[in-house]
Amino acid sequence: EIFAEFIARDQRAMATRVDPSVADYVINGTSGRTNSGQGLLEYHESARILSFGEIPSNSEANESSNKILVLCAGTADYPVAEEAAVTLEIHGFTPSRIYDVGVACLPRLLSYVDQLREARVILAVAGMEGALPSVVGGLVSCPLIAVPTSVGYGAAFQGITPLLAMLNSCAPGTSVVNIDNGFGAAVSGIKILQTAEKLTK
């Protein structure tokens, strides 16, 4: 009902952690009201995000929009990384996705060093022991936002282990969001870029 109200008012809206069955219910229930001037209702299944409204084009986004990276340690972390990436896209940014670059295969990560060092903001998503942000933090000087996930075996404690590892990172200046909080990491990255843009004007 809340989402339907946004649609009725032609206001942009976004909801996270939306199961496919819930998305189908909302889309089917509002099928007659989604062709507004604000754009269409869309379900981003990989990110579990439901959005309504016109997504800003690249030409409308600021010049730093393509300088934000979303790193994903393993394929099991993919949904959280996609939540972050799609959130950025809905807000008019064009993130670069670099996936499956966990520390278990360090050469893969190191092959992207040039891209890492060109970024203005990096979001690093990892479960298990949560080592990826510390490694990346030692390679770059830009703001780094670490995202622990609930992926892992017993001693990972549903994300507590990577969360604590990231909070105790030796890489200074690493910011950490809550477990599985790709949305929060993306919003933090957006605010950093928007503030930087204001300061350079």
Side-chain angles (χ1 to χ4, degrees), residues 1 3-4 7 18 21-31 34 41 50:
E1 293 181 6
F3 220 91
I7 294 171
V18 180
S21 59
V22 175
D24 287 342
Y25 176 82
V26 174
I27 291 170
N28 292 332
T30 58
S31 59
T34 58
L41 185 62
L50 185 66

Side-chain angles (χ1 to χ4, degrees), residues 22 41 136 144 151:
V22 175
L41 185 62
V136 174
L144 172 64
V151 171

Side-chain angles (χ1 to χ4, degrees), residues 4 10 19 24 29 32 37 48 77 94 97 107 111 130 144 148 150-152 177 189:
D10 272 350
D19 291 331
D24 287 342
R48 296 182 298 163
D77 304 308
T94 308
R97 293 168 168 86
S111 69
L144 172 64
S150 53
V151 171
V177 298

Side-chain angles (χ1 to χ4, degrees), residues 5 29 35 60 64 69 74 83 87-88 96 100 106 109 127 131 139-141 147 149 156 163 165 168 174 177 180 188:
E5 187 65 25
N35 292 315
E60 294 174 304
S64 63
L69 300 185
E83 181 179 276
T87 297
L88 290 165
S96 294
D100 199 18
L106 197 55
L109 175 64
L139 297 171
V140 304
S141 59
V147 189
T149 73
L163 172 63
N168 286 282
T174 301
V177 298
D180 292 335
S188 294

